[in-house]
């Protein structure tokens, strides 16, 4: 089990948080997603989920992952 933290920009409300959780939660290997709206931190827990797939899911939700 691993935890990877991403910084996401563009989230402004609870709906944004829900969208990110929903999209990232569907990535294979992801077992948990925690989102902090104020800091933009997204912690993804899972069994080695594909980082590119997680980033793509965040972008699919309409947000950007900071480098």
């Amino acid at each position: 089990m691993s935890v990877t933290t991403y910084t996401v920009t563009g989230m402004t409300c609870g709906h944004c948080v829900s969208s990110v959780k929903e999209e990232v939660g569907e990535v294979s290997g992801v077992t948990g997603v925690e989102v902090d709206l104020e800091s933009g931190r997204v912690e993804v827990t899972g069994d080695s989920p594909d980082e590119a797939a997680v980033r793509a899911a965040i972008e699919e939700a309409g947000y950007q992952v900071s480098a």
Side-chain angles (χ1 to χ4, degrees):
M1 204 59 70
S2 65
V3 177
T4 306
T5 302
Y6 300 88
T7 302
V8 177
T9 58
M11 296 186 299
T12 59
C13 64
H15 182 267
C16 300
V17 170
S18 295
S19 295
V20 170
K21 281 186 169 186
E22 181 179 339
E23 289 292 338
V24 174
E26 292 178 3
V27 173
S28 179
V30 171
T31 58
V33 181
E34 291 298 323
V35 179
D36 181 65
L37 179 60
E38 286 188 26
S39 68
R41 284 178 20 141
V42 176
E43 288 185 352
V44 179
T45 306
D47 186 19
S48 301
D50 180 47
E51 183 174 340
V54 171
R55 288 176 174 270
I58 292 169
E59 290 175 6
E60 178 68 26
Y63 308 99
Q64 298 296 314
V65 180
S66 297

